Amino acid sequence: MGDGMMNDRPLTGEENAMLDADLALLSQSDPAPEISGALMARILGDAADAAPRPGAAAPSSARRPASPKPGFWSSLGGFWQPVSAGFAAAALGVWIGWADPAGVTAYANPFETATFASDIAIDDLDEYASLLDMEL
Amino acid sequence: MSFDAATGEADDVLLQRFADGDQSAARALALRLTPRVLAVAYRMLGDRAEAEDVAQEAMMRLWKIAPDWREGEAQVTTWLHRVSSNLCIDRLRRRKRDGPPLEDVAEPSDPAPSPAAVMMATDRAAAVRQALDALPDRQKQAVTLRHFEDLGNPEIAGIMEISVEAVESLLSRGRRALATALRSREDI
């Protein structure tokens, strides 16, 4: 395609008409092939292979839900997981000790009462034991 | 071989039906779309066997994308033309990289004995085919879609993922190159 002059200017009406005629000639003298039975069989075979299998989840054209974002713990690296867990536990202990939260107090009360009662009972047992020693 | 592709349903509806497991929808889609894909591939590659391979590959990709197809986002034909054109360009580039094919320009499919006028027309068609093959890939794609598929520039722009102005430029340069090649042949 060495005609640089022609490449730089638009085609004239006559040249356009000739080119259209040439392209039409190509279409007529060498038409695009029709689908052969073999090609159709190949394409439908592919379709059968690609079709959803029985029992598989029904495909849907709806947008698939986005995968959930990774949680806080999983977003931390291997080293930082136990370190962060330690910091969290320490912070919780400080908060419980400083704020004396109602929930913790309510939970601890029965144990505290039981511990106090058992202390008294053990003291009483000691006294009974000393009485027994005296009688013996 | 002719097939009855007549069905009133839109392409994306048929694709949805196929995704839902309806094989008759696949047949209807194949009958409707494959001839167009095959025609474009044949014009771009000039080889029937290769064009059939491209048509099969493009349709295979359509089957695979069917479950994820989102209605109204794109036209199935535009998507399919894009895929098949790109497959053709890949093959053309591979040809250039690997060297010219063993056989020269493909002969017309109907080489029946004919009078001199028909011989001249056949020669001329072969020359057009040769000039078309010599075009740069993108120009060839634009010319094929415009002149052999009768698509409008906006649709070609959608297929080639470029602006309408870029399509016009490709067409203009492609036509000029074709005219130049054919004229230089006349001058010999």
Side-chain angles (χ1 to χ4, degrees), chain B residues 151-171:
Chain B
L151 299 182
N153 290 358
E155 197 172 355
I156 297 172
I159 291 166
M160 297 181 72
E161 297 181 286
I162 55 177
S163 67
V164 174
E165 291 76 20
V167 171
E168 287 167 357
S169 170
L170 281 173
L171 283 173

PDB file of all heavy atoms in Angstrom, chain B residues 151-171:
ATOM      1  N   LEU B 151     -23.303  -3.387  10.471  1.00  0.00           N
ATOM      2  CA  LEU B 151     -23.523  -2.788  11.785  1.00  0.00           C
ATOM      3  C   LEU B 151     -23.272  -1.284  11.710  1.00  0.00           C
ATOM      4  O   LEU B 151     -22.456  -0.816  10.905  1.00  0.00           O
ATOM      5  CB  LEU B 151     -22.587  -3.407  12.828  1.00  0.00           C
ATOM      6  CG  LEU B 151     -22.733  -4.910  13.070  1.00  0.00           C
ATOM      7  CD1 LEU B 151     -21.766  -5.359  14.167  1.00  0.00           C
ATOM      8  CD2 LEU B 151     -24.156  -5.258  13.481  1.00  0.00           C
ATOM      9  N   GLY B 152     -23.957  -0.543  12.560  1.00  0.00           N
ATOM     10  CA  GLY B 152     -23.764   0.898  12.622  1.00  0.00           C
ATOM     11  C   GLY B 152     -22.513   1.242  13.427  1.00  0.00           C
ATOM     12  O   GLY B 152     -22.021   0.422  14.210  1.00  0.00           O
ATOM     13  N   ASN B 153     -22.022   2.453  13.236  1.00  0.00           N
ATOM     14  CA  ASN B 153     -20.798   2.852  13.945  1.00  0.00           C
ATOM     15  C   ASN B 153     -20.938   2.788  15.470  1.00  0.00           C
ATOM     16  O   ASN B 153     -19.992   2.361  16.143  1.00  0.00           O
ATOM     17  CB  ASN B 153     -20.361   4.247  13.504  1.00  0.00           C
ATOM     18  CG  ASN B 153     -19.835   4.239  12.075  1.00  0.00           C
ATOM     19  OD1 ASN B 153     -19.773   3.184  11.437  1.00  0.00           O
ATOM     20  ND2 ASN B 153     -19.469   5.403  11.562  1.00  0.00           N
ATOM     21  N   PRO B 154     -22.092   3.206  16.044  1.00  0.00           N
ATOM     22  CA  PRO B 154     -22.195   3.109  17.515  1.00  0.00           C
ATOM     23  C   PRO B 154     -22.099   1.664  18.000  1.00  0.00           C
ATOM     24  O   PRO B 154     -21.476   1.385  19.031  1.00  0.00           O
ATOM     25  CB  PRO B 154     -23.585   3.691  17.806  1.00  0.00           C
ATOM     26  CG  PRO B 154     -23.881   4.580  16.640  1.00  0.00           C
ATOM     27  CD  PRO B 154     -23.246   3.912  15.462  1.00  0.00           C
ATOM     28  N   GLU B 155     -22.689   0.739  17.256  1.00  0.00           N
ATOM     29  CA  GLU B 155     -22.628  -0.666  17.674  1.00  0.00           C
ATOM     30  C   GLU B 155     -21.196  -1.200  17.537  1.00  0.00           C
ATOM     31  O   GLU B 155     -20.718  -1.947  18.400  1.00  0.00           O
ATOM     32  CB  GLU B 155     -23.597  -1.502  16.836  1.00  0.00           C
ATOM     33  CG  GLU B 155     -23.873  -2.850  17.481  1.00  0.00           C
ATOM     34  CD  GLU B 155     -24.979  -3.626  16.795  1.00  0.00           C
ATOM     35  OE1 GLU B 155     -25.605  -3.083  15.870  1.00  0.00           O
ATOM     36  OE2 GLU B 155     -25.191  -4.780  17.199  1.00  0.00           O
ATOM     37  N   ILE B 156     -20.528  -0.794  16.461  1.00  0.00           N
ATOM     38  CA  ILE B 156     -19.121  -1.206  16.288  1.00  0.00           C
ATOM     39  C   ILE B 156     -18.272  -0.636  17.425  1.00  0.00           C
ATOM     40  O   ILE B 156     -17.393  -1.317  17.965  1.00  0.00           O
ATOM     41  CB  ILE B 156     -18.583  -0.736  14.919  1.00  0.00           C
ATOM     42  CG1 ILE B 156     -19.375  -1.396  13.790  1.00  0.00           C
ATOM     43  CG2 ILE B 156     -17.101  -1.075  14.773  1.00  0.00           C
ATOM     44  CD1 ILE B 156     -19.057  -0.849  12.409  1.00  0.00           C
ATOM     45  N   ALA B 157     -18.571   0.611  17.791  1.00  0.00           N
ATOM     46  CA  ALA B 157     -17.836   1.227  18.897  1.00  0.00           C
ATOM     47  C   ALA B 157     -18.022   0.412  20.177  1.00  0.00           C
ATOM     48  O   ALA B 157     -17.073   0.204  20.943  1.00  0.00           O
ATOM     49  CB  ALA B 157     -18.302   2.663  19.100  1.00  0.00           C
ATOM     50  N   GLY B 158     -19.265  -0.052  20.398  1.00  0.00           N
ATOM     51  CA  GLY B 158     -19.539  -0.877  21.580  1.00  0.00           C
ATOM     52  C   GLY B 158     -18.775  -2.185  21.536  1.00  0.00           C
ATOM     53  O   GLY B 158     -18.239  -2.638  22.548  1.00  0.00           O
ATOM     54  N   ILE B 159     -18.710  -2.792  20.371  1.00  0.00           N
ATOM     55  CA  ILE B 159     -18.007  -4.071  20.229  1.00  0.00           C
ATOM     56  C   ILE B 159     -16.502  -3.886  20.429  1.00  0.00           C
ATOM     57  O   ILE B 159     -15.859  -4.670  21.123  1.00  0.00           O
ATOM     58  CB  ILE B 159     -18.289  -4.678  18.834  1.00  0.00           C
ATOM     59  CG1 ILE B 159     -19.749  -5.130  18.745  1.00  0.00           C
ATOM     60  CG2 ILE B 159     -17.351  -5.845  18.537  1.00  0.00           C
ATOM     61  CD1 ILE B 159     -20.218  -5.433  17.340  1.00  0.00           C
ATOM     62  N   MET B 160     -15.977  -2.821  19.821  1.00  0.00           N
ATOM     63  CA  MET B 160     -14.520  -2.625  19.879  1.00  0.00           C
ATOM     64  C   MET B 160     -14.088  -1.852  21.120  1.00  0.00           C
ATOM     65  O   MET B 160     -12.887  -1.673  21.352  1.00  0.00           O
ATOM     66  CB  MET B 160     -14.044  -1.899  18.620  1.00  0.00           C
ATOM     67  CG  MET B 160     -14.280  -2.701  17.340  1.00  0.00           C
ATOM     68  SD  MET B 160     -13.694  -1.862  15.843  1.00  0.00           S
ATOM     69  CE  MET B 160     -11.924  -2.004  16.028  1.00  0.00           C
ATOM     70  N   GLU B 161     -15.080  -1.408  21.897  1.00  0.00           N
ATOM     71  CA  GLU B 161     -14.808  -0.660  23.136  1.00  0.00           C
ATOM     72  C   GLU B 161     -13.950   0.580  22.860  1.00  0.00           C
ATOM     73  O   GLU B 161     -12.942   0.819  23.543  1.00  0.00           O
ATOM     74  CB  GLU B 161     -14.149  -1.572  24.176  1.00  0.00           C
ATOM     75  CG  GLU B 161     -15.065  -2.714  24.584  1.00  0.00           C
ATOM     76  CD  GLU B 161     -14.465  -3.632  25.627  1.00  0.00           C
ATOM     77  OE1 GLU B 161     -13.588  -4.414  25.273  1.00  0.00           O
ATOM     78  OE2 GLU B 161     -14.877  -3.555  26.786  1.00  0.00           O
ATOM     79  N   ILE B 162     -14.365   1.319  21.824  1.00  0.00           N
ATOM     80  CA  ILE B 162     -13.715   2.590  21.499  1.00  0.00           C
ATOM     81  C   ILE B 162     -14.815   3.599  21.191  1.00  0.00           C
ATOM     82  O   ILE B 162     -15.999   3.242  21.137  1.00  0.00           O
ATOM     83  CB  ILE B 162     -12.752   2.454  20.280  1.00  0.00           C
ATOM     84  CG1 ILE B 162     -13.496   1.868  19.070  1.00  0.00           C
ATOM     85  CG2 ILE B 162     -11.549   1.602  20.622  1.00  0.00           C
ATOM     86  CD1 ILE B 162     -12.640   1.777  17.816  1.00  0.00           C
ATOM     87  N   SER B 163     -14.432   4.854  20.961  1.00  0.00           N
ATOM     88  CA  SER B 163     -15.438   5.871  20.670  1.00  0.00           C
ATOM     89  C   SER B 163     -15.917   5.754  19.219  1.00  0.00           C
ATOM     90  O   SER B 163     -15.251   5.138  18.370  1.00  0.00           O
ATOM     91  CB  SER B 163     -14.839   7.260  20.900  1.00  0.00           C
ATOM     92  OG  SER B 163     -13.841   7.506  19.935  1.00  0.00           O
ATOM     93  N   VAL B 164     -17.068   6.377  18.959  1.00  0.00           N
ATOM     94  CA  VAL B 164     -17.600   6.369  17.597  1.00  0.00           C
ATOM     95  C   VAL B 164     -16.629   7.091  16.653  1.00  0.00           C
ATOM     96  O   VAL B 164     -16.430   6.664  15.506  1.00  0.00           O
ATOM     97  CB  VAL B 164     -18.994   7.038  17.566  1.00  0.00           C
ATOM     98  CG1 VAL B 164     -19.495   7.175  16.131  1.00  0.00           C
ATOM     99  CG2 VAL B 164     -19.989   6.230  18.385  1.00  0.00           C
ATOM    100  N   GLU B 165     -16.001   8.149  17.157  1.00  0.00           N
ATOM    101  CA  GLU B 165     -15.030   8.891  16.343  1.00  0.00           C
ATOM    102  C   GLU B 165     -13.846   7.997  15.964  1.00  0.00           C
ATOM    103  O   GLU B 165     -13.349   8.061  14.835  1.00  0.00           O
ATOM    104  CB  GLU B 165     -14.518  10.130  17.092  1.00  0.00           C
ATOM    105  CG  GLU B 165     -15.542  11.223  17.280  1.00  0.00           C
ATOM    106  CD  GLU B 165     -16.562  10.904  18.368  1.00  0.00           C
ATOM    107  OE1 GLU B 165     -16.282  10.031  19.230  1.00  0.00           O
ATOM    108  OE2 GLU B 165     -17.652  11.508  18.353  1.00  0.00           O
ATOM    109  N   ALA B 166     -13.428   7.173  16.925  1.00  0.00           N
ATOM    110  CA  ALA B 166     -12.309   6.266  16.638  1.00  0.00           C
ATOM    111  C   ALA B 166     -12.711   5.235  15.586  1.00  0.00           C
ATOM    112  O   ALA B 166     -11.897   4.856  14.723  1.00  0.00           O
ATOM    113  CB  ALA B 166     -11.855   5.569  17.914  1.00  0.00           C
ATOM    114  N   VAL B 167     -13.978   4.795  15.646  1.00  0.00           N
ATOM    115  CA  VAL B 167     -14.468   3.851  14.630  1.00  0.00           C
ATOM    116  C   VAL B 167     -14.436   4.523  13.260  1.00  0.00           C
ATOM    117  O   VAL B 167     -13.974   3.933  12.266  1.00  0.00           O
ATOM    118  CB  VAL B 167     -15.906   3.385  14.951  1.00  0.00           C
ATOM    119  CG1 VAL B 167     -16.487   2.586  13.786  1.00  0.00           C
ATOM    120  CG2 VAL B 167     -15.929   2.551  16.210  1.00  0.00           C
ATOM    121  N   GLU B 168     -14.936   5.757  13.218  1.00  0.00           N
ATOM    122  CA  GLU B 168     -14.944   6.486  11.937  1.00  0.00           C
ATOM    123  C   GLU B 168     -13.532   6.618  11.378  1.00  0.00           C
ATOM    124  O   GLU B 168     -13.302   6.466  10.172  1.00  0.00           O
ATOM    125  CB  GLU B 168     -15.582   7.865  12.129  1.00  0.00           C
ATOM    126  CG  GLU B 168     -17.092   7.786  12.324  1.00  0.00           C
ATOM    127  CD  GLU B 168     -17.682   9.099  12.816  1.00  0.00           C
ATOM    128  OE1 GLU B 168     -16.895  10.047  13.059  1.00  0.00           O
ATOM    129  OE2 GLU B 168     -18.903   9.172  12.988  1.00  0.00           O
ATOM    130  N   SER B 169     -12.592   6.890  12.260  1.00  0.00           N
ATOM    131  CA  SER B 169     -11.208   7.033  11.827  1.00  0.00           C
ATOM    132  C   SER B 169     -10.661   5.705  11.289  1.00  0.00           C
ATOM    133  O   SER B 169     -10.011   5.663  10.234  1.00  0.00           O
ATOM    134  CB  SER B 169     -10.362   7.530  13.008  1.00  0.00           C
ATOM    135  OG  SER B 169      -9.008   7.470  12.696  1.00  0.00           O
ATOM    136  N   LEU B 170     -10.948   4.614  12.031  1.00  0.00           N
ATOM    137  CA  LEU B 170     -10.476   3.303  11.575  1.00  0.00           C
ATOM    138  C   LEU B 170     -11.072   2.944  10.219  1.00  0.00           C
ATOM    139  O   LEU B 170     -10.379   2.434   9.328  1.00  0.00           O
ATOM    140  CB  LEU B 170     -10.864   2.226  12.600  1.00  0.00           C
ATOM    141  CG  LEU B 170     -10.001   2.095  13.849  1.00  0.00           C
ATOM    142  CD1 LEU B 170     -10.643   1.109  14.821  1.00  0.00           C
ATOM    143  CD2 LEU B 170      -8.601   1.621  13.495  1.00  0.00           C
ATOM    144  N   LEU B 171     -12.369   3.219  10.066  1.00  0.00           N
ATOM    145  CA  LEU B 171     -13.049   2.902   8.805  1.00  0.00           C
ATOM    146  C   LEU B 171     -12.461   3.721   7.661  1.00  0.00           C
ATOM    147  O   LEU B 171     -12.227   3.204   6.561  1.00  0.00           O
ATOM    148  CB  LEU B 171     -14.547   3.171   8.923  1.00  0.00           C
ATOM    149  CG  LEU B 171     -15.359   2.122   9.690  1.00  0.00           C
ATOM    150  CD1 LEU B 171     -16.792   2.599   9.891  1.00  0.00           C
ATOM    151  CD2 LEU B 171     -15.359   0.805   8.924  1.00  0.00           C
TER     152      LEU B 171
END
